[in-house]
């Protein structure tokens, strides 16, 4: 059973190309809640209807199309991605995952296959970080409290939606047997390694802290080197030690000191205080905690320096279901696809479903030169063909699995 690549690409151009600017240097503008966004999901809905699904649009602009199964009391297998783009975005980010889901439905119809579970193809709205915050459509559907936080409430009127609308789209996560998303990598790991596909193990959590190092400001000319308590020299030492510490943790652990504020910041004064902006990302929260406590120990041992670590934000990681990872890996390997497991450094709708207890799997396809959120975004049709084929086969295999 093979997917039809030509049909998939034609439909991707037709739906995913909506919002394309006339000027060649500009990309596709299909921002959440925009006219072009609604045009795209309405065309997408018509195509799904032609494949035998029943599309409905919920009150925050998500499109949901249901395909009945043999046992309609069973939870649904969800399949899809988001349909909104950033400003001057590309053809593939989000739209590709939606159109691959449509292609899978087209093949099932051609073959006259009815699955045991009902299937729901979903195009989420507002995944890109706009005024409502990223993954708004999926957070609203999964009933996440933060879809109704102060920021969301403030920005709702501009998009013509109300808190009641947000409440109305809530779904019980238990209504989903599983969820599958195909997305472009938006990075260059797969391309560099010459691979066809990435199987996402999870979406990394993010923790940010501010480290404050206090030394003593003094005259840069009259204070001999031996008598200084230079906070910037201490910061430099600490960063080098952190670089060493970071090697203790396996991939995808990363840390970054993205900014230094040096006080008073003058050529004639020894820096008395430095604020360091620290960010850590990993799938394992314990690694991040361990790194923070070891960094605190190293900072406390800096001679003549008082150190403090202040926590700012902490977003938990979302781990994909091991059964889904193994399934995608097996289906891909059997199909002769070269692949690797990898974590995602960017947020996705799949993260929201995984975080709501839905067994979730996600695959990444290579992005040319690692470029995305840009008109030059490109994923080669060979990869798209392999990706869509793996999605179709994984969908059929999932239908025979009882995950709940
Ligand atoms: Zn995306």
């Amino acid at each position: 059973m093979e997917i039809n690549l030509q049909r998939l690409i034609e439909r991707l151009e037709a739906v995913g190309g909506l919002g394309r600017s006339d000027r060649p240097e500009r990309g596709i503008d299909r921002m959440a809640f925009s006219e072009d966004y609604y045009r795209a999901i309405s065309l997408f809905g018509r195509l799904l209807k032609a494949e035998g699904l029943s599309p409905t649009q919920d009150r925050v602009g998500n499109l949901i199309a249901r395909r009945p199964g043999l046992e309609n009391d069973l939870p649904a297998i969800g399949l899809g991605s988001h349909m909104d783009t950033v400003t001057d975005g590309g053809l593939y980010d989000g739209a590709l995952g939606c159109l691959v889901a449509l292609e899978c439905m087209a093949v099932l119809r051609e073959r006259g296959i009815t699955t045991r579970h009902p299937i729901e193809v979903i195009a989420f709205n507002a995944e890109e970080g706009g005024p409502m915050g990223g993954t708004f459509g999926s957070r609203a559907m999964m009933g996440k409290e933060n879809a109704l936080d102060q920021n969301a409430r403030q920005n709702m009127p501009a998009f013509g939606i109300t808190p009641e609308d947000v409440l109305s789209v809530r779904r019980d996560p238990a209504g989903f047997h599983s969820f599958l998303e195909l997305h472009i990598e938006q990075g260059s790991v797969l391309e560099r390694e010459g691979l066809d596909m990435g199987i996402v193990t999870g979406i990394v959590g993010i923790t940010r802290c501010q480290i404050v190092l206090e030394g003593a400001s003094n005259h840069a000319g009259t204070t001999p080197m031996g008598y200084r308590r230079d906070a910037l020299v201490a910061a430099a030492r600490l960063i080098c030690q952190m670089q060493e510490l970071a090697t203790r943790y396996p991939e995808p652990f990363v840390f970054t000191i993205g900014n230094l504020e040096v006080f008073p910041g003058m050529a004639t004064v020894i820096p008395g205080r430095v604020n360091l902006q620290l960010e850590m990302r990993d799938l394992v929260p314990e690694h991040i905690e361990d790194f923070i406590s070891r960094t605190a120990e190293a900072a406390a041992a800096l001679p003549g320096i008082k150190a403090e670590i202040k926590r700012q934000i902490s977003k938990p990681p979302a781990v994909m279901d091991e059964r889904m990872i193994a399934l995608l890996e097996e289906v891909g390997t059997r199909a002769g696809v070269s692949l690797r497991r990898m974590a995602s450094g960017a947020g996705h709708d799949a993260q929201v479903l995984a975080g709501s207890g839905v067994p979730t799997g996600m695959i990444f396809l290579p992005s040319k030169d690692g470029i995305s959120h840009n008109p030059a975004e490109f994923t080669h049709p060979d990869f798209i063909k392999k990706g869509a084929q793996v999605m179709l086969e994984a969908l059929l295999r999932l239908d025979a699995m009882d995950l709940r």
Side-chain angles (χ1 to χ4, degrees), residues 118-375:
I119 296 173
E120 288 192 17
V121 171
I122 305 176
F124 289 108
N125 189 13
E127 189 274 344
E128 300 291 359
M132 308 295 290
T135 64
F136 173 71
S138 49
R139 286 187 290 115
M141 188 185 285
M142 290 295 110
K144 296 287 182 198
E145 294 300 325
N146 58 12
L148 276 170
D149 65 12
Q150 203 191 345
N151 173 65
R153 284 174 192 267
Q154 264 170 8
N155 287 294
M156 274 176 206
F159 299 119
I161 59 169
T162 63
E164 291 68 43
D165 291 330
V166 176
L167 286 170
S168 78
V169 308
R170 286 190 169 190
R171 300 272 304 268
D172 181 359
F176 288 98
H177 164 274
S178 52
F179 184 77
L180 276 176
E181 180 170 5
L182 174 148
H183 200 279
I184 56 169
E185 181 196 352
Q186 304 180 279
S188 56
V189 172
L190 294 172
E191 185 176 70
R192 281 174 203 275
E193 298 188 5
L195 298 173
D196 301 324
M197 186 179 295
I199 310 294
V200 179
T201 50
I203 285 135
V204 295
I206 303 177
T207 302
R208 288 191 196 129
C209 298
Q210 188 186 53
I211 305 175
V212 180
L213 299 180
E214 290 267 4
S217 296
N218 213 331
H219 196 293
T222 62
T223 316
M225 296 309 289
Y227 297 146
R228 296 181 178 214
R229 291 167 57 206
D230 186 324
L232 183 56
V233 171
R237 287 212 176 102
L238 181 62
I239 294 170
C240 291
Q241 284 176 273
M242 292 166 81
Q243 196 77 18
E244 277 295 311
L245 275 177
T247 60
R248 305 172 76 99
Y249 315 98
E251 267 190 29
F253 179 89
V254 286
F255 91 92
T256 306
I257 300 289
N259 193 30
L260 288 183
E261 289 174 300
V262 179
F263 299 95
M266 296 170 72
T268 53
V269 185
I270 298 164
R273 179 160 62 97
V274 176
N275 297 341
L276 301 88
Q277 180 65 61
L278 165 64
E279 187 191 89
M280 295 145 289
R281 299 184 183 218
D282 199 16
L283 286 180
V284 185
E286 290 76 18
H287 291 169
I288 290 178
E289 291 309 314
D290 191 61
F291 184 76
I292 294 173
S293 68
R294 287 177 194 273
T295 297
E297 276 170 35
L302 292 165
I305 299 291
K306 209 180 109 217
E308 193 189 352
I309 300 188
K310 300 175 185 171
R311 280 168 190 268
Q312 293 165 322
I313 63 154
S314 212
K315 285 194 202 168
V319 180
M320 297 298 150
D321 191 293
E322 181 55 39
R323 295 166 298 180
M324 301 289 281
I325 297 171
L327 171 69
L328 291 167
E329 211 166 34
E330 192 199 320
V331 169
T333 307
R334 273 201 193 173
V337 171
S338 60
L339 52 82
R340 62 165 280 176
R341 291 184 175 209
M342 64 193 295
S344 170
H348 293 290
D349 295 304
Q351 162 188 15
V352 178
L353 281 104
S356 305
V358 178
T360 300
M362 184 169 197
I363 66 179
F364 277 167
L365 299 184
S367 295
K368 186 171 188 302
D369 300 325
I371 293 171
S372 79
H373 287 185
N374 183 306

